[in-house]
mmCIF file of all heavy atoms in Angstrom:
data_model
loop_
_atom_site.group_PDB
_atom_site.id
_atom_site.type_symbol
_atom_site.label_atom_id
_atom_site.label_comp_id
_atom_site.label_asym_id
_atom_site.label_seq_id
_atom_site.Cartn_x
_atom_site.Cartn_y
_atom_site.Cartn_z
ATOM 1 N N ILE A 509 -9.941 -3.013 0.755
ATOM 2 C CA ILE A 509 -8.907 -3.849 0.133
ATOM 3 C C ILE A 509 -8.071 -3.024 -0.828
ATOM 4 O O ILE A 509 -6.836 -3.098 -0.821
ATOM 5 C CB ILE A 509 -9.554 -5.047 -0.590
ATOM 6 C CG1 ILE A 509 -10.193 -5.994 0.429
ATOM 7 C CG2 ILE A 509 -8.511 -5.792 -1.435
ATOM 8 C CD1 ILE A 509 -10.986 -7.124 -0.186
ATOM 9 N N PHE A 510 -8.731 -2.237 -1.680
ATOM 10 C CA PHE A 510 -7.999 -1.375 -2.617
ATOM 11 C C PHE A 510 -7.044 -0.450 -1.863
ATOM 12 O O PHE A 510 -5.894 -0.259 -2.253
ATOM 13 C CB PHE A 510 -8.970 -0.535 -3.460
ATOM 14 C CG PHE A 510 -9.641 -1.292 -4.566
ATOM 15 C CD1 PHE A 510 -10.998 -1.117 -4.820
ATOM 16 C CD2 PHE A 510 -8.921 -2.165 -5.372
ATOM 17 C CE1 PHE A 510 -11.626 -1.806 -5.852
ATOM 18 C CE2 PHE A 510 -9.535 -2.853 -6.408
ATOM 19 C CZ PHE A 510 -10.888 -2.677 -6.645
ATOM 20 N N TYR A 511 -7.539 0.147 -0.785
ATOM 21 C CA TYR A 511 -6.741 1.110 -0.031
ATOM 22 C C TYR A 511 -5.505 0.449 0.570
ATOM 23 O O TYR A 511 -4.400 0.999 0.515
ATOM 24 C CB TYR A 511 -7.591 1.729 1.069
ATOM 25 C CG TYR A 511 -6.983 2.966 1.691
ATOM 26 C CD1 TYR A 511 -6.933 4.167 0.990
ATOM 27 C CD2 TYR A 511 -6.466 2.938 2.981
ATOM 28 C CE1 TYR A 511 -6.375 5.303 1.548
ATOM 29 C CE2 TYR A 511 -5.909 4.063 3.552
ATOM 30 C CZ TYR A 511 -5.872 5.241 2.828
ATOM 31 O OH TYR A 511 -5.311 6.360 3.384
ATOM 32 N N VAL A 512 -5.680 -0.743 1.142
ATOM 33 C CA VAL A 512 -4.567 -1.455 1.771
ATOM 34 C C VAL A 512 -3.549 -1.919 0.726
ATOM 35 O O VAL A 512 -2.336 -1.728 0.890
ATOM 36 C CB VAL A 512 -5.088 -2.661 2.579
ATOM 37 C CG1 VAL A 512 -3.933 -3.559 3.027
ATOM 38 C CG2 VAL A 512 -5.890 -2.190 3.795
ATOM 39 N N VAL A 513 -4.030 -2.517 -0.358
ATOM 40 C CA VAL A 513 -3.145 -3.076 -1.382
ATOM 41 C C VAL A 513 -2.296 -1.986 -2.032
ATOM 42 O O VAL A 513 -1.101 -2.178 -2.282
ATOM 43 C CB VAL A 513 -3.964 -3.830 -2.453
ATOM 44 C CG1 VAL A 513 -3.078 -4.216 -3.640
ATOM 45 C CG2 VAL A 513 -4.598 -5.069 -1.843
ATOM 46 N N PHE A 514 -2.899 -0.829 -2.289
ATOM 47 C CA PHE A 514 -2.201 0.225 -3.030
ATOM 48 C C PHE A 514 -1.724 1.373 -2.149
ATOM 49 O O PHE A 514 -1.390 2.438 -2.645
ATOM 50 C CB PHE A 514 -3.119 0.760 -4.134
ATOM 51 C CG PHE A 514 -3.524 -0.292 -5.138
ATOM 52 C CD1 PHE A 514 -4.859 -0.543 -5.401
ATOM 53 C CD2 PHE A 514 -2.566 -1.036 -5.810
ATOM 54 C CE1 PHE A 514 -5.242 -1.517 -6.317
ATOM 55 C CE2 PHE A 514 -2.933 -2.009 -6.727
ATOM 56 C CZ PHE A 514 -4.270 -2.250 -6.988
ATOM 57 N N TRP A 515 -1.642 1.147 -0.854
ATOM 58 C CA TRP A 515 -1.300 2.201 0.093
ATOM 59 C C TRP A 515 0.101 2.780 -0.151
ATOM 60 O O TRP A 515 0.369 3.934 0.143
ATOM 61 C CB TRP A 515 -1.396 1.667 1.524
ATOM 62 C CG TRP A 515 -1.351 2.725 2.575
ATOM 63 C CD1 TRP A 515 -2.024 3.916 2.573
ATOM 64 C CD2 TRP A 515 -0.609 2.703 3.791
ATOM 65 N NE1 TRP A 515 -1.751 4.623 3.724
ATOM 66 C CE2 TRP A 515 -0.895 3.902 4.484
ATOM 67 C CE3 TRP A 515 0.243 1.768 4.373
ATOM 68 C CZ2 TRP A 515 -0.333 4.194 5.732
ATOM 69 C CZ3 TRP A 515 0.796 2.060 5.615
ATOM 70 C CH2 TRP A 515 0.516 3.257 6.272
ATOM 71 N N LEU A 516 1.002 1.990 -0.723
ATOM 72 C CA LEU A 516 2.399 2.406 -0.861
ATOM 73 C C LEU A 516 2.731 2.948 -2.252
ATOM 74 O O LEU A 516 3.900 2.985 -2.635
ATOM 75 C CB LEU A 516 3.326 1.229 -0.526
ATOM 76 C CG LEU A 516 3.154 0.627 0.875
ATOM 77 C CD1 LEU A 516 4.166 -0.490 1.087
ATOM 78 C CD2 LEU A 516 3.301 1.696 1.959
ATOM 79 N N TYR A 517 1.717 3.380 -2.996
ATOM 80 C CA TYR A 517 2.004 3.898 -4.339
ATOM 81 C C TYR A 517 2.871 5.156 -4.280
ATOM 82 O O TYR A 517 3.753 5.372 -5.123
ATOM 83 C CB TYR A 517 0.701 4.195 -5.090
ATOM 84 C CG TYR A 517 -0.015 5.442 -4.628
ATOM 85 C CD1 TYR A 517 0.270 6.682 -5.188
ATOM 86 C CD2 TYR A 517 -0.978 5.392 -3.615
ATOM 87 C CE1 TYR A 517 -0.368 7.829 -4.754
ATOM 88 C CE2 TYR A 517 -1.623 6.531 -3.175
ATOM 89 C CZ TYR A 517 -1.318 7.747 -3.744
ATOM 90 O OH TYR A 517 -1.944 8.872 -3.312
ATOM 91 N N ALA A 518 2.628 6.031 -3.287
ATOM 92 C CA ALA A 518 3.345 7.312 -3.230
ATOM 93 C C ALA A 518 4.844 7.147 -3.010
ATOM 94 O O ALA A 518 5.642 7.749 -3.743
ATOM 95 C CB ALA A 518 2.731 8.226 -2.163
ATOM 96 N N PRO A 519 5.302 6.347 -2.027
ATOM 97 C CA PRO A 519 6.752 6.183 -1.890
ATOM 98 C C PRO A 519 7.394 5.494 -3.089
ATOM 99 O O PRO A 519 8.566 5.738 -3.394
ATOM 100 C CB PRO A 519 6.914 5.353 -0.610
ATOM 101 C CG PRO A 519 5.581 4.767 -0.343
ATOM 102 C CD PRO A 519 4.586 5.719 -0.907
ATOM 103 N N ALA A 520 6.633 4.654 -3.783
ATOM 104 C CA ALA A 520 7.178 4.033 -4.999
ATOM 105 C C ALA A 520 7.445 5.090 -6.064
ATOM 106 O O ALA A 520 8.426 4.995 -6.812
ATOM 107 C CB ALA A 520 6.216 2.975 -5.529
ATOM 108 N N ILE A 521 6.587 6.110 -6.115
ATOM 109 C CA ILE A 521 6.795 7.209 -7.062
ATOM 110 C C ILE A 521 7.918 8.124 -6.581
ATOM 111 O O ILE A 521 8.813 8.499 -7.342
ATOM 112 C CB ILE A 521 5.497 8.011 -7.247
ATOM 113 C CG1 ILE A 521 4.427 7.159 -7.929
ATOM 114 C CG2 ILE A 521 5.756 9.276 -8.078
ATOM 115 C CD1 ILE A 521 3.056 7.812 -8.011
ATOM 116 N N VAL A 522 7.884 8.475 -5.301
ATOM 117 C CA VAL A 522 8.853 9.425 -4.752
ATOM 118 C C VAL A 522 10.265 8.849 -4.748
ATOM 119 O O VAL A 522 11.222 9.512 -5.174
ATOM 120 C CB VAL A 522 8.447 9.840 -3.322
ATOM 121 C CG1 VAL A 522 9.533 10.706 -2.686
ATOM 122 C CG2 VAL A 522 7.120 10.587 -3.336
ATOM 123 N N ALA A 523 10.408 7.612 -4.268
ATOM 124 C CA ALA A 523 11.743 7.032 -4.096
ATOM 125 C C ALA A 523 12.256 6.324 -5.340
ATOM 126 O O ALA A 523 13.446 6.394 -5.653
ATOM 127 C CB ALA A 523 11.728 6.053 -2.921
ATOM 128 N N GLU A 524 11.362 5.632 -6.054
ATOM 129 C CA GLU A 524 11.805 4.802 -7.176
ATOM 130 C C GLU A 524 11.468 5.402 -8.536
ATOM 131 O O GLU A 524 11.781 4.793 -9.563
ATOM 132 C CB GLU A 524 11.193 3.409 -7.060
ATOM 133 C CG GLU A 524 11.560 2.678 -5.777
ATOM 134 C CD GLU A 524 10.964 1.284 -5.722
ATOM 135 O OE1 GLU A 524 11.162 0.502 -6.668
ATOM 136 O OE2 GLU A 524 10.264 0.987 -4.726
ATOM 137 N N LYS A 525 10.825 6.580 -8.532
ATOM 138 C CA LYS A 525 10.452 7.257 -9.776
ATOM 139 C C LYS A 525 9.585 6.371 -10.674
ATOM 140 O O LYS A 525 9.685 6.409 -11.902
ATOM 141 C CB LYS A 525 11.705 7.701 -10.542
ATOM 142 C CG LYS A 525 12.654 8.557 -9.731
ATOM 143 C CD LYS A 525 12.010 9.872 -9.303
ATOM 144 C CE LYS A 525 13.022 10.822 -8.659
ATOM 145 N NZ LYS A 525 13.578 10.325 -7.392
ATOM 146 N N LYS A 526 8.715 5.575 -10.064
ATOM 147 C CA LYS A 526 7.832 4.708 -10.828
ATOM 148 C C LYS A 526 6.733 5.527 -11.509
ATOM 149 O O LYS A 526 6.328 6.579 -11.022
ATOM 150 C CB LYS A 526 7.176 3.676 -9.901
ATOM 151 C CG LYS A 526 8.147 2.720 -9.212
ATOM 152 C CD LYS A 526 8.709 1.709 -10.182
ATOM 153 C CE LYS A 526 9.508 0.635 -9.453
ATOM 154 N NZ LYS A 526 10.119 -0.334 -10.394
ATOM 155 N N GLY A 527 6.255 5.010 -12.648
ATOM 156 C CA GLY A 527 5.072 5.565 -13.258
ATOM 157 C C GLY A 527 3.853 5.145 -12.465
ATOM 158 O O GLY A 527 3.950 4.371 -11.512
ATOM 159 N N ILE A 528 2.699 5.627 -12.872
ATOM 160 C CA ILE A 528 1.488 5.395 -12.084
ATOM 161 C C ILE A 528 1.142 3.909 -11.999
ATOM 162 O O ILE A 528 0.966 3.356 -10.906
ATOM 163 C CB ILE A 528 0.318 6.189 -12.673
ATOM 164 C CG1 ILE A 528 0.615 7.692 -12.562
ATOM 165 C CG2 ILE A 528 -0.989 5.859 -11.944
ATOM 166 C CD1 ILE A 528 -0.310 8.560 -13.353
ATOM 167 N N SER A 529 1.040 3.237 -13.136
ATOM 168 C CA SER A 529 0.702 1.809 -13.109
ATOM 169 C C SER A 529 1.806 1.001 -12.431
ATOM 170 O O SER A 529 1.526 0.044 -11.689
ATOM 171 C CB SER A 529 0.460 1.294 -14.531
ATOM 172 O OG SER A 529 1.625 1.447 -15.328
ATOM 173 N N GLU A 530 3.054 1.396 -12.651
ATOM 174 C CA GLU A 530 4.170 0.701 -12.009
ATOM 175 C C GLU A 530 4.134 0.899 -10.495
ATOM 176 O O GLU A 530 4.474 -0.019 -9.735
ATOM 177 C CB GLU A 530 5.499 1.222 -12.552
ATOM 178 C CG GLU A 530 5.775 0.881 -14.004
ATOM 179 C CD GLU A 530 7.064 1.514 -14.489
ATOM 180 O OE1 GLU A 530 7.318 2.693 -14.165
ATOM 181 O OE2 GLU A 530 7.823 0.831 -15.191
ATOM 182 N N ALA A 531 3.730 2.089 -10.049
ATOM 183 C CA ALA A 531 3.663 2.363 -8.618
ATOM 184 C C ALA A 531 2.600 1.501 -7.945
ATOM 185 O O ALA A 531 2.814 0.967 -6.850
ATOM 186 C CB ALA A 531 3.368 3.845 -8.375
ATOM 187 N N PHE A 532 1.445 1.341 -8.603
ATOM 188 C CA PHE A 532 0.409 0.473 -8.053
ATOM 189 C C PHE A 532 0.882 -0.980 -8.012
ATOM 190 O O PHE A 532 0.628 -1.699 -7.041
ATOM 191 C CB PHE A 532 -0.872 0.588 -8.862
ATOM 192 C CG PHE A 532 -1.654 1.852 -8.594
ATOM 193 C CD1 PHE A 532 -2.095 2.650 -9.628
ATOM 194 C CD2 PHE A 532 -1.951 2.239 -7.299
ATOM 195 C CE1 PHE A 532 -2.808 3.815 -9.386
ATOM 196 C CE2 PHE A 532 -2.655 3.399 -7.038
ATOM 197 C CZ PHE A 532 -3.089 4.188 -8.093
ATOM 198 N N ALA A 533 1.569 -1.410 -9.069
ATOM 199 C CA ALA A 533 2.089 -2.778 -9.099
ATOM 200 C C ALA A 533 3.138 -2.984 -8.008
ATOM 201 O O ALA A 533 3.191 -4.037 -7.359
ATOM 202 C CB ALA A 533 2.690 -3.083 -10.472
ATOM 203 N N ARG A 534 3.967 -1.972 -7.808
ATOM 204 C CA ARG A 534 4.999 -2.047 -6.774
ATOM 205 C C ARG A 534 4.379 -2.137 -5.388
ATOM 206 O O ARG A 534 4.823 -2.912 -4.535
ATOM 207 C CB ARG A 534 5.901 -0.819 -6.871
ATOM 208 C CG ARG A 534 7.045 -0.790 -5.860
ATOM 209 C CD ARG A 534 8.016 -1.906 -6.118
ATOM 210 N NE ARG A 534 9.267 -1.654 -5.427
ATOM 211 C CZ ARG A 534 10.005 -2.590 -4.873
ATOM 212 N NH1 ARG A 534 9.621 -3.861 -4.913
ATOM 213 N NH2 ARG A 534 11.147 -2.285 -4.279
ATOM 214 N N SER A 535 3.337 -1.337 -5.150
ATOM 215 C CA SER A 535 2.643 -1.386 -3.867
ATOM 216 C C SER A 535 2.007 -2.753 -3.645
ATOM 217 O O SER A 535 2.082 -3.318 -2.546
ATOM 218 C CB SER A 535 1.570 -0.299 -3.808
ATOM 219 O OG SER A 535 0.878 -0.331 -2.580
ATOM 220 N N ARG A 536 1.394 -3.282 -4.681
ATOM 221 C CA ARG A 536 0.783 -4.604 -4.571
ATOM 222 C C ARG A 536 1.831 -5.662 -4.228
ATOM 223 O O ARG A 536 1.600 -6.554 -3.401
ATOM 224 C CB ARG A 536 0.086 -4.963 -5.891
ATOM 225 C CG ARG A 536 -0.685 -6.287 -5.817
ATOM 226 C CD ARG A 536 -1.483 -6.546 -7.081
ATOM 227 N NE ARG A 536 -0.629 -6.668 -8.248
ATOM 228 C CZ ARG A 536 -0.601 -5.813 -9.263
ATOM 229 N NH1 ARG A 536 -1.392 -4.751 -9.258
ATOM 230 N NH2 ARG A 536 0.200 -5.993 -10.294
ATOM 231 N N GLU A 537 3.008 -5.529 -4.832
ATOM 232 C CA GLU A 537 4.099 -6.477 -4.578
ATOM 233 C C GLU A 537 4.598 -6.376 -3.134
ATOM 234 O O GLU A 537 4.785 -7.390 -2.459
ATOM 235 C CB GLU A 537 5.247 -6.184 -5.547
ATOM 236 C CG GLU A 537 6.516 -6.971 -5.282
ATOM 237 C CD GLU A 537 7.693 -6.477 -6.108
ATOM 238 O OE1 GLU A 537 7.508 -5.540 -6.925
ATOM 239 O OE2 GLU A 537 8.802 -6.989 -5.928
ATOM 240 N N LEU A 538 4.808 -5.136 -2.664
ATOM 241 C CA LEU A 538 5.365 -4.947 -1.328
ATOM 242 C C LEU A 538 4.379 -5.316 -0.227
ATOM 243 O O LEU A 538 4.774 -5.817 0.832
ATOM 244 C CB LEU A 538 5.822 -3.494 -1.150
ATOM 245 C CG LEU A 538 7.081 -3.082 -1.900
ATOM 246 C CD1 LEU A 538 7.304 -1.579 -1.786
ATOM 247 C CD2 LEU A 538 8.302 -3.845 -1.390
ATOM 248 N N THR A 539 3.097 -5.057 -0.451
ATOM 249 C CA THR A 539 2.105 -5.332 0.592
ATOM 250 C C THR A 539 1.679 -6.797 0.641
ATOM 251 O O THR A 539 1.072 -7.224 1.626
ATOM 252 C CB THR A 539 0.848 -4.469 0.387
ATOM 253 O OG1 THR A 539 0.270 -4.741 -0.901
ATOM 254 C CG2 THR A 539 1.184 -2.991 0.475
ATOM 255 N N LYS A 540 2.004 -7.548 -0.387
ATOM 256 C CA LYS A 540 1.588 -8.955 -0.430
ATOM 257 C C LYS A 540 2.117 -9.708 0.790
ATOM 258 O O LYS A 540 3.292 -9.650 1.112
ATOM 259 C CB LYS A 540 2.095 -9.612 -1.716
ATOM 260 C CG LYS A 540 1.591 -11.046 -1.903
ATOM 261 C CD LYS A 540 2.064 -11.607 -3.236
ATOM 262 C CE LYS A 540 1.531 -13.027 -3.443
ATOM 263 N NZ LYS A 540 1.979 -13.588 -4.746
ATOM 264 N N GLY A 541 1.241 -10.425 1.449
ATOM 265 C CA GLY A 541 1.612 -11.199 2.626
ATOM 266 C C GLY A 541 1.648 -10.389 3.908
ATOM 267 O O GLY A 541 1.829 -10.948 4.993
ATOM 268 N N LYS A 542 1.484 -9.061 3.809
ATOM 269 C CA LYS A 542 1.543 -8.197 4.993
ATOM 270 C C LYS A 542 0.296 -7.321 5.114
ATOM 271 O O LYS A 542 0.293 -6.351 5.876
ATOM 272 C CB LYS A 542 2.777 -7.282 4.915
ATOM 273 C CG LYS A 542 4.101 -8.021 4.787
ATOM 274 C CD LYS A 542 4.451 -8.784 6.055
ATOM 275 C CE LYS A 542 5.827 -9.413 5.949
ATOM 276 N NZ LYS A 542 6.206 -10.133 7.178
ATOM 277 N N ARG A 543 -0.747 -7.666 4.391
ATOM 278 C CA ARG A 543 -1.896 -6.755 4.293
ATOM 279 C C ARG A 543 -2.731 -6.688 5.561
ATOM 280 O O ARG A 543 -3.306 -5.647 5.864
ATOM 281 C CB ARG A 543 -2.735 -7.129 3.069
ATOM 282 C CG ARG A 543 -2.011 -6.768 1.777
ATOM 283 C CD ARG A 543 -2.622 -7.372 0.543
ATOM 284 N NE ARG A 543 -1.742 -7.132 -0.612
ATOM 285 C CZ ARG A 543 -1.827 -7.788 -1.753
ATOM 286 N NH1 ARG A 543 -2.763 -8.728 -1.923
ATOM 287 N NH2 ARG A 543 -0.993 -7.508 -2.740
ATOM 288 N N TRP A 544 -2.795 -7.772 6.313
ATOM 289 C CA TRP A 544 -3.525 -7.712 7.569
ATOM 290 C C TRP A 544 -2.819 -6.788 8.554
ATOM 291 O O TRP A 544 -3.463 -6.045 9.295
ATOM 292 C CB TRP A 544 -3.705 -9.102 8.176
ATOM 293 C CG TRP A 544 -4.825 -9.878 7.567
ATOM 294 C CD1 TRP A 544 -4.742 -10.988 6.782
ATOM 295 C CD2 TRP A 544 -6.230 -9.591 7.692
ATOM 296 N NE1 TRP A 544 -6.000 -11.411 6.408
ATOM 297 C CE2 TRP A 544 -6.927 -10.582 6.950
ATOM 298 C CE3 TRP A 544 -6.950 -8.598 8.346
ATOM 299 C CZ2 TRP A 544 -8.317 -10.592 6.860
ATOM 300 C CZ3 TRP A 544 -8.344 -8.619 8.259
ATOM 301 C CH2 TRP A 544 -9.010 -9.606 7.521
ATOM 302 N N GLN A 545 -1.480 -6.823 8.547
ATOM 303 C CA GLN A 545 -0.725 -5.920 9.414
ATOM 304 C C GLN A 545 -0.918 -4.468 8.994
ATOM 305 O O GLN A 545 -1.068 -3.582 9.831
ATOM 306 C CB GLN A 545 0.762 -6.273 9.396
ATOM 307 C CG GLN A 545 1.097 -7.615 10.029
ATOM 308 C CD GLN A 545 1.194 -8.733 9.003
ATOM 309 O OE1 GLN A 545 0.365 -8.813 8.085
ATOM 310 N NE2 GLN A 545 2.192 -9.581 9.137
ATOM 311 N N ILE A 546 -0.914 -4.224 7.674
ATOM 312 C CA ILE A 546 -1.142 -2.868 7.181
ATOM 313 C C ILE A 546 -2.555 -2.411 7.534
ATOM 314 O O ILE A 546 -2.767 -1.260 7.934
ATOM 315 C CB ILE A 546 -0.904 -2.800 5.663
ATOM 316 C CG1 ILE A 546 0.580 -3.032 5.356
ATOM 317 C CG2 ILE A 546 -1.365 -1.459 5.089
ATOM 318 C CD1 ILE A 546 0.904 -3.149 3.886
ATOM 319 N N PHE A 547 -3.511 -3.300 7.394
ATOM 320 C CA PHE A 547 -4.880 -2.977 7.788
ATOM 321 C C PHE A 547 -4.933 -2.592 9.267
ATOM 322 O O PHE A 547 -5.627 -1.636 9.642
ATOM 323 C CB PHE A 547 -5.806 -4.164 7.525
ATOM 324 C CG PHE A 547 -7.209 -3.974 8.041
ATOM 325 C CD1 PHE A 547 -8.089 -3.135 7.377
ATOM 326 C CD2 PHE A 547 -7.636 -4.627 9.185
ATOM 327 C CE1 PHE A 547 -9.392 -2.946 7.858
ATOM 328 C CE2 PHE A 547 -8.921 -4.440 9.665
ATOM 329 C CZ PHE A 547 -9.797 -3.602 9.001
ATOM 330 N N ALA A 548 -4.187 -3.307 10.105
ATOM 331 C CA ALA A 548 -4.155 -2.997 11.538
ATOM 332 C C ALA A 548 -3.571 -1.607 11.783
ATOM 333 O O ALA A 548 -4.079 -0.851 12.616
ATOM 334 C CB ALA A 548 -3.341 -4.054 12.283
ATOM 335 N N ILE A 549 -2.505 -1.268 11.061
ATOM 336 C CA ILE A 549 -1.903 0.064 11.190
ATOM 337 C C ILE A 549 -2.929 1.141 10.833
ATOM 338 O O ILE A 549 -3.116 2.121 11.572
ATOM 339 C CB ILE A 549 -0.667 0.188 10.275
ATOM 340 C CG1 ILE A 549 0.456 -0.725 10.782
ATOM 341 C CG2 ILE A 549 -0.182 1.636 10.200
ATOM 342 C CD1 ILE A 549 1.609 -0.866 9.808
ATOM 343 N N LEU A 550 -3.584 0.963 9.696
ATOM 344 C CA LEU A 550 -4.572 1.949 9.252
ATOM 345 C C LEU A 550 -5.751 2.029 10.215
ATOM 346 O O LEU A 550 -6.248 3.124 10.513
ATOM 347 C CB LEU A 550 -5.061 1.584 7.848
ATOM 348 C CG LEU A 550 -4.022 1.726 6.736
ATOM 349 C CD1 LEU A 550 -4.525 1.088 5.443
ATOM 350 C CD2 LEU A 550 -3.697 3.194 6.501
ATOM 351 N N LEU A 551 -6.186 0.880 10.703
ATOM 352 C CA LEU A 551 -7.324 0.857 11.624
ATOM 353 C C LEU A 551 -6.997 1.621 12.903
ATOM 354 O O LEU A 551 -7.817 2.406 13.400
ATOM 355 C CB LEU A 551 -7.700 -0.587 11.954
ATOM 356 C CG LEU A 551 -8.937 -0.776 12.844
ATOM 357 C CD1 LEU A 551 -10.177 -0.225 12.152
ATOM 358 C CD2 LEU A 551 -9.122 -2.260 13.186
ATOM 359 N N ILE A 552 -5.805 1.405 13.440
ATOM 360 C CA ILE A 552 -5.394 2.101 14.659
ATOM 361 C C ILE A 552 -5.362 3.614 14.431
ATOM 362 O O ILE A 552 -5.848 4.394 15.256
ATOM 363 C CB ILE A 552 -4.013 1.597 15.125
ATOM 364 C CG1 ILE A 552 -4.137 0.148 15.635
ATOM 365 C CG2 ILE A 552 -3.439 2.495 16.224
ATOM 366 C CD1 ILE A 552 -2.811 -0.527 15.884
ATOM 367 N N ILE A 553 -4.808 4.034 13.293
ATOM 368 C CA ILE A 553 -4.731 5.469 12.998
ATOM 369 C C ILE A 553 -6.119 6.067 12.823
ATOM 370 O O ILE A 553 -6.422 7.146 13.362
ATOM 371 C CB ILE A 553 -3.874 5.721 11.744
ATOM 372 C CG1 ILE A 553 -2.417 5.312 12.006
ATOM 373 C CG2 ILE A 553 -3.940 7.191 11.335
ATOM 374 C CD1 ILE A 553 -1.529 5.388 10.780
ATOM 375 N N PHE A 554 -6.994 5.376 12.091
ATOM 376 C CA PHE A 554 -8.332 5.916 11.848
ATOM 377 C C PHE A 554 -9.187 5.912 13.112
ATOM 378 O O PHE A 554 -10.021 6.808 13.300
ATOM 379 C CB PHE A 554 -9.022 5.143 10.726
ATOM 380 C CG PHE A 554 -8.584 5.568 9.354
ATOM 381 C CD1 PHE A 554 -7.956 4.673 8.494
ATOM 382 C CD2 PHE A 554 -8.781 6.860 8.912
ATOM 383 C CE1 PHE A 554 -7.536 5.062 7.237
ATOM 384 C CE2 PHE A 554 -8.367 7.275 7.651
ATOM 385 C CZ PHE A 554 -7.744 6.364 6.814
ATOM 386 N N ILE A 555 -8.989 4.918 13.983
ATOM 387 C CA ILE A 555 -9.711 4.922 15.260
ATOM 388 C C ILE A 555 -9.265 6.123 16.094
ATOM 389 O O ILE A 555 -10.084 6.812 16.707
ATOM 390 C CB ILE A 555 -9.475 3.600 16.025
ATOM 391 C CG1 ILE A 555 -10.241 2.459 15.354
ATOM 392 C CG2 ILE A 555 -9.920 3.738 17.486
ATOM 393 C CD1 ILE A 555 -9.981 1.099 15.965
ATOM 394 N N GLY A 556 -7.951 6.372 16.098
ATOM 395 C CA GLY A 556 -7.445 7.545 16.808
ATOM 396 C C GLY A 556 -8.019 8.831 16.253
ATOM 397 O O GLY A 556 -8.406 9.736 17.007
#
């Protein structure tokens, strides 16, 4: 759950120049409502 919710912290830092806590909050905001789909993406990659 932690991995899926906060998966997008890096682009929030790279693109939006967010601080660390802000980047985690941004990732949580963007992934909300789409976490099962993100989990599916990660699962497919890790299975591969």
Side-chain angles (χ1 to χ4, degrees):
I509 293 174
F510 283 137
Y511 194 72
V512 170
V513 171
F514 299 125
W515 192 44
L516 302 182
Y517 75 89
I521 294 173
V522 174
E524 301 182 53
K525 305 297 188 295
K526 298 287 189 183
I528 296 168
S529 61
E530 292 176 318
F532 284 130
R534 181 65 164 144
S535 180
R536 185 174 62 247
E537 172 190 358
L538 287 172
T539 59
K540 185 177 182 180
K542 303 292 185 179
R543 289 167 188 163
W544 280 111
Q545 293 96 318
I546 293 173
F547 174 75
I549 292 169
L550 292 169
L551 184 62
I552 291 170
I553 295 174
F554 280 118
I555 287 175

